Amino acid sequence: MKQYLGNKWAILFFLTPAIVLYSVIVFYPILQTVYRSFFEWDGLSDATFIGVRNYIDLSQDYLLTTSLRNGFLFALVLVIFQIGLGTLLALICSDPTVKGRKILKTAYFIPVVLSVTVVCQLWLSMYDPVNGIINKLFQALGIAYQQDWLNSPSVSIIAIAFVNAWQYMGFQFALLYAGAKSVPEHYTEAARIDGAGKWRAHWHITLPLMKETFKFCFIIAITAGIGAYVQMAIMTNGGPGTTNYTITFMIIRNAFSGNQYGYACAISVLLIVISLIATIIINKVFDSRETGLEQG
C-alpha cells in the first residue's frame, strides 16, 4: 500500500476517472452557467451578448431582497429545528440506558423516506385555517391564536420551512447520531468519574468532538435553506403574491415561465456564490475552534 501512496502516477491514475466525472457533472455546467449569464437568451434562438446587464438588472430586481430574506429565514428554521432538535434526540438515542431506542430511531427517520408531495399534502390539511388540526388544537387548549398559516405574508414562509425541517430532520439526526456514537466512550466515562453529570459530559466532551459532523450538518441546512424551492412550489406556488419567493424560485420562474435563460443563469451564479461563501464561512468558523482534546 505504501508504494502506491508514494507513487504520484498511481495516485493520478486512480483519481483521474473521478476527476473527469466530477468535472463533467459539476464544473462544466457551472462554467456554462457563468458563460450564459452574459447573454440575452430565450433558450432556443441565438444568444446576444449583453455583458453584465443581467447582473445589473438582478441588483435592481425587487424580488431579490424578498428571495434572500426568505432563503436565510428558511435556513435559520432548518438550523434550529434540524440541528438543534436533531442533536438532542441523537444524544438521547446514543444513551444505552434509554429504552426503545431502536423504535425512536426508526420513527425519526420515517418522514425522510416519504414523498415530498405526500408530506406537503399532509401539512396542507393540517394548516387549513378552518378544519386544520393546528388551529383546532389551539382552540381546544383555549388559546386565542388562529392563523391562516399559508396566506399570511409574515407566517407562511416559517410554516413552509417547518415542513421541510420536519421531513428531513431524520436525515440530520442520522448524521448527528453517527457523530455522537463515534466519540470514544472512555472520554465521557472519565468525565463521569470526575463528577460530571450526563449532560455536562455531553456539553464539554461529546459536542466539541462532534465538530466535523456539525460542520457538515450546518452546510447542508444553510445551503438547503438558501436554495429551497419544492415546498413553496407545492404548497403556495410562491404566494401569497411573491412573498414566499426564494432564489431558486426566481430561477425557475425566469427560465421556464419567462424564457429568460440568460437572466436565470445570472441568478444561478448568484446562488452558487452565496452557497460557496456560506460554506467557506462555516468551515472557517468550525476550523477556528479546536477543542482541548483535539489539541492534546
Side-chain angles (χ1 to χ4, degrees):
M1 179 61 70
K2 290 184 179 180
Q3 63 179 343
Y4 289 112
L5 293 176
N7 190 328
K8 295 181 179 179
W9 291 106
I11 295 173
L12 181 62
F13 175 78
F14 287 109
L15 286 179
T16 298
I19 294 173
V20 171
L21 183 63
Y22 191 77
S23 299
V24 171
I25 295 176
V26 178
F27 285 127
Y28 179 73
I30 290 176
L31 292 176
Q32 276 290 313
T33 300
V34 174
Y35 173 73
R36 294 292 181 182
S37 68
F38 296 106
F39 290 83
E40 183 178 355
W41 183 45
D42 62 4
L44 296 174
S45 60
D46 294 335
T48 303
F49 181 76
I50 58 173
V52 296
R53 188 188 305 169
N54 282 326
Y55 292 97
I56 296 174
D57 292 342
L58 177 59
S59 66
Q60 299 171 349
D61 195 330
Y62 74 97
L63 287 176
L64 180 61
T65 303
T66 300
S67 299
L68 289 174
R69 184 187 68 244
N70 287 339
F72 286 111
L73 184 58
F74 206 104
L76 180 62
V77 173
L78 297 189
V79 168
I80 293 174
F81 187 83
Q82 292 183 344
I83 300 180
L85 183 58
T87 300
L88 178 62
L89 297 176
L91 294 178
I92 291 173
C93 289
S94 64
D95 187 345
T97 62
V98 175
K99 297 181 180 179
R101 291 184 300 143
K102 293 183 178 179
I103 297 175
L104 292 175
K105 288 186 289 185
T106 303
Y108 297 149
F109 199 77
I110 286 176
V112 179
V113 301
L114 297 177
S115 166
V116 65
T117 305
V118 172
V119 171
C120 288
Q121 291 299 324
L122 169 66
W123 281 92
L124 278 171
S125 64
M126 294 175 65
Y127 282 142
D128 186 274
V130 178
N131 299 312
I133 190 174
I134 297 179
N135 279 347
K136 291 289 187 183
L137 180 61
F138 283 131
Q139 185 178 355
L141 294 174
I143 301 174
Y145 185 77
Q146 300 293 300
Q147 282 285 340
D148 192 354
W149 297 95
L150 299 178
N151 286 317
S152 171
S154 59
V155 175
S156 56
I157 184 63
I158 298 177
I160 296 171
F162 184 81
V163 175
N164 182 292
W166 176 83
Q167 181 175 11
Y168 296 107
M169 191 276 289
F171 177 74
Q172 295 276 31
F173 162 77
L175 296 175
L176 294 164
Y177 176 77
K181 293 296 289 183
S182 68
V183 175
E185 292 185 3
H186 61 268
Y187 286 157
T188 54
E189 289 175 357
R192 298 291 294 275
I193 292 173
D194 289 339
K198 181 190 301 183
W199 292 105
R200 188 176 180 184
H202 282 318
W203 181 258
H204 291 286
I205 304 295
T206 308
L207 296 182
L209 291 178
M210 290 172 62
K211 182 183 71 172
E212 293 299 320
T213 303
F214 281 123
K215 182 199 298 185
F216 186 59
C217 289
F218 268 88
I219 291 173
I220 292 174
I222 292 176
T223 54
I226 294 171
Y229 169 73
V230 177
Q231 285 77 20
M232 276 81 76
I234 295 175
M235 300 182 74
T236 65
N237 196 30
T242 58
T243 55
N244 285 332
Y245 268 49
T246 58
I247 296 180
T248 308
F249 216 105
M250 288 181 65
I251 296 171
I252 300 298
R253 187 182 99 158
N254 285 282
F256 299 106
S257 298
N259 292 325
Q260 296 176 312
Y261 284 88
Y263 187 57
C265 287
I267 305 173
S268 301
V269 172
L270 176 62
L271 178 59
I272 293 170
V273 170
I274 293 175
S275 299
L276 182 61
I277 292 174
T279 302
I280 292 173
I281 292 174
I282 293 169
N283 277 300
K284 290 291 184 181
V285 169
F286 278 92
D287 289 344
S288 65
R289 296 183 178 181
E290 292 187 359
T291 67
L293 291 172
E294 289 174 332
Q295 292 174 347

